[in-house]
DNA sequence: AATGAATGAGATTTCATTCAT
DNA sequence: CATGAATGAAATCTCATTCAT
């Protein structure tokens, strides 16, 4: 079986079941799949287990999904909302400065949201990475999700550069990919090891690195002692 | 088959073959494995193919390796030199300032070396990621390699902070993981897409981000206009 | 699985097993297949049964054959000698009349040989008809075998017409197909029903019809009373 | 599933649906079955496809037919009129010679009718051959149809022999089977290959062979040059 | 009746690993 | 040791038929 590109074929081509019972059954298979994939990973998940977990004859699986890949993609689509990389979508156009969200604040929120979402679905996210190495369709899905995110960040960086609050030496394309990768890889590695996962601290540190790397001002108390300023000779 | 921890068992336990012929055959299997893993990925590689590629009977494979995982690990060990995360190993303790390498320069060299090495072995590196999700031993190997690297970076950061040339607000542990992850993820994603891979530019940009994020001075022409300095109102 | 054209792909591409043991095993699988196909027909034959009959692990089947179709084709090739439609291959060029075989005699021999061979392998022959409706490759095999035979007959008919001993109104192409079909269909239908199969009588009658249809002289005792001559009023 | 004798069980046992709607639905299933069997052959036809083609729920199929075999048999019965082997049913008892149809003419008409009917339903006819090898009931149906035909021909041959216009050496039983087989096999093989199908010429040639084989006079112009006569040196 | 979902027996196929020669 | 055949545990997938709604 060549499963290298099933995921991309006709996304959403398969119509939902006609009856409520069918839709319920489909849903229970999806729920079961989420559980099994999270527990066993994609490669070790067996269709039989998914069907069993859904209390379904294993033939019924094929009423709704053609393959393990297909249900996995369906699962990812179901997760789309959560998975949709939560970029700084709340960037506000400043006109008056009153209501304006500081860039650092935007970054922090986005990173915190991302880490939180990743953490919540960590098992599936890890499986996603895994499947992306096996199935071209899933890889494409991942790349597309990633690209959308990267482009949003890229646009933000340009915006900040135009406003003179980000280092103009930074190439927005490279930076967007590097910084989003920094966060997602961090999330991945922290998930992989069962290390303590202190979202707040992680989000803060990642955001600090992110902001610093772009030369964006980070909040520090008055009389701040940041090297980045300190080293620049200044000092009040 | 439970392959979850074969790789780690008895690292290096198996002695090299006694005869020259045996060593040659073992080597040809390793070469074949490198080719097959690179072409097919780990999951799709078949021992049959490796043996065939090495012009060896299938049964002979087991004379030298106990499993697909074992030969993969052997392959990784073989690659150790190249794979050894090329961190700033040439960090020099400065005493006199004459011979001293600037931190940014160290970072740049390390990143360029890493990207180059990754690129050269990209297929195996991707397979490594893949296997790490399947086999605990390989995962451990990866984590250990990664940890060694991370610790080296962590130490460097502390060193720079102690010398007052890096932002003290940055947590070295988080930063080391985030920044190494940034680079390796960047390398991974650029490998995944067949995009042009301009190592020089990538290394520069990554190093710029890296240095900025730590508040380390980056080389710019005199009268430099960098926001990061500009914004600090300064200047020497 | 689309099995519609496996048989034709690379005839004889698969090399024979390297060892004597392997060749023995392959042969025992072929023998088992012959038995199973004969007993159950192609559609109902299971690979498991073939392997069991050959006292082999059922996975071993796949060491030698990729599918049920492939072993069937191998079986047909093995039967080629017997199956090779035994046309009037012993047609002798007459020079002196002494040694010459009468056309009717040639026809009779050929038909008797064909009926005998068909009867001996009747179960496989019936399976062949069956598979030919399912698999394009087998159908091609059958058509080719048939065509070779038809062409030989066609040539004979032309030869007889040229010598003035066969009805010139008969179209050799149509006649060759019709008459070979008459014999093979007769054989098939007699095999299908478990009717008594008196080869001698059948061969005689078929040959009589065959010869008559071409206007070829058939042997009858002196003072013969055959209508066919009688009606013609004659005779020398 | 043992399908070996479903077809023959209770022929016509199942009454037609009581309501007009039911009869319509049954008919649409039959039409769909004809299409699907013709396209996919019996073995590859799926009940699902038949139901889909008839725009019917799968479950409804079983309201009207118990199995694939049953609908196939029903289809054959529906075709009975066309399929009814179009023998020389218009054989006329000659008393006066006025209205009489020449034997050759009868044969020609029958063959032309048969070839035409076969051609029109060739796909189903081929499927019939296929199913006959799989299902005893269908095989019986086929044999019965065939037998009826053969017996009619046998009777004709005896009749002609009695009247002295057919070769008495020919055994009517063998000849009837051989000659009907000749025609049906010819039809089958011409259908299998997509060769040009010139019904007129084929019917003529088959009839010529048929008549010749029985020693029946074929129409030729006066001063005819046919070998069959020519060679007899004759004539009255 | 009609619908379409549910069922599960059954067949194929893969391939890592073992073993006889 | 080399060889390549043997093994069989798994896993997937099909689809005729049954059943709940």
């Amino acid at each position: 079986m060549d499963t290298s590109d099933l995921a991309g074929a006709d996304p959403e081509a398969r119509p939902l079941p006609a009856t409520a019972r069918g839709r319920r059954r489909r849903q229970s298979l999806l729920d079961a799949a989420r559980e099994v994939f999270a527990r066993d990973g994609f490669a070790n998940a067996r269709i039989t287990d998914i069907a069993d977990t859904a209390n379904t004859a294993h033939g019924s699986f094929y009423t709704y999904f053609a393959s393990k890949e297909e249900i996995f993609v369906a699962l990812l689509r179901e997760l789309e909302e959560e998975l949709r990389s939560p970029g700084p979508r709340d960037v506000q156009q400043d006109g008056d400065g009153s209501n304006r969200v500081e860039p650092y604040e935007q970054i922090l929120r986005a990173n915190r949201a991302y880490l939180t979402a990743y953490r919540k679905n960590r098992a599936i996210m890890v499986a996603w990475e895994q499947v992306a190495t096996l199935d071209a369709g899933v890889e494409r899905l991942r790349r597309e999700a990633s690209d959308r995110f990267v482009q949003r960040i890229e646009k933000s960086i340009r915006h900040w550069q135009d406003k003179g609050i980000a280092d103009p030496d930074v190439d927005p394309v490279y930076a967007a990919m590097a910084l989003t990768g920094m966060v997602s890889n961090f999330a991945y590695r922290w998930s992989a090891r069962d290390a303590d996962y202190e979202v707040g601290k992680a989000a803060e540190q990642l955001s600090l690195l992110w902001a610093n790397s772009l030369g964006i001002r980070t909040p520090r108390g008055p009389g701040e002692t940041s090297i980045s300023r300190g080293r620049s000779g200044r000092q009040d």
Side-chain angles (χ1 to χ4, degrees), chain A:
Chain A
M1 178 185 53
D2 178 12
T3 63
S4 62
D5 202 19
L6 291 176
D10 282 322
E12 300 296 354
R14 187 182 288 262
L16 285 181
T19 68
R21 184 169 64 136
R23 282 189 296 275
R24 242 180 291 124
R25 183 71 77 178
R26 193 189 116 105
Q27 190 56 49
S28 70
L29 282 165
L30 277 171
D31 295 342
R34 188 190 290 239
E35 181 182 333
V36 172
F37 284 136
R39 187 187 63 218
D40 299 335
F42 181 82
N44 294 323
R46 291 175 310 164
I47 288 183
T48 294
D49 291 338
I50 296 175
D52 286 351
T53 302
N55 290 317
T56 303
H58 97 275
S60 292
F61 177 91
Y62 292 92
T63 303
Y64 301 103
F65 306 99
S67 64
K68 202 159 64 156
E69 280 78 13
E70 192 172 303
I71 198 175
F72 189 75
V73 171
L75 184 55
L76 292 184
R77 290 195 198 286
E78 198 194 44
L79 284 176
E80 256 184 343
E81 277 310 307
E82 302 176 65
L83 295 176
R84 194 188 308 286
S85 308
R89 55 188 156 214
D90 42 1
V91 169
Q92 300 189 18
Q93 305 307 323
D94 48 358
D96 66 293
S98 64
N99 193 12
R100 172 177 170 228
V101 177
E102 287 291 329
Y104 173 81
E105 195 60 28
Q106 292 171 22
I107 293 165
L108 180 61
R109 286 182 193 173
N111 284 335
R112 189 181 291 122
Y114 184 86
L115 291 177
T116 305
Y118 198 106
R119 179 188 193 155
K120 183 174 161 206
N121 300 292
R122 84 174 89 173
I124 298 293
M125 297 301 286
V126 170
W128 197 359
E129 311 274 344
Q130 185 182 353
V131 180
T133 66
L134 298 173
D135 181 281
V138 171
E139 160 60 16
R140 180 161 4 113
L141 212 60
R142 189 172 91 130
R143 188 158 58 234
E144 284 166 4
S146 160
D147 284 352
R148 277 194 300 275
F149 189 26
V150 167
Q151 277 155 24
R152 215 155 56 220
I153 302 301
E154 187 189 327
K155 206 173 130 202
S156 292
I157 294 175
R158 284 190 206 284
H159 178 66
W160 292 324
Q161 287 178 325
D162 290 345
K163 293 181 58 186
I165 57 173
D167 186 341
D169 287 346
V170 166
D171 181 311
V173 174
Y174 284 73
M177 180 172 283
L179 294 173
T180 56
M182 174 179 80
V183 177
S184 74
N185 190 261
F186 187 93
Y188 175 66
R189 282 154 89 185
W190 273 48
S191 292
R193 62 195 67 194
D194 296 321
D196 313 309
Y197 203 113
E198 224 246 274
V199 174
K201 174 86 182 287
E204 245 169 55
Q205 282 291 319
L206 289 170
S207 300
L208 174 61
L209 294 168
W210 180 307
N212 276 351
S213 72
L214 297 176
I216 284 175
R217 182 193 299 266
T218 55
R220 306 191 200 230
E224 54 189 22
T225 59
S226 152
I227 277 283
S228 72
R229 285 97 206 269
R231 97 176 185 288
S232 55
R234 63 175 234 28
Q235 212 70 13
D236 31 359

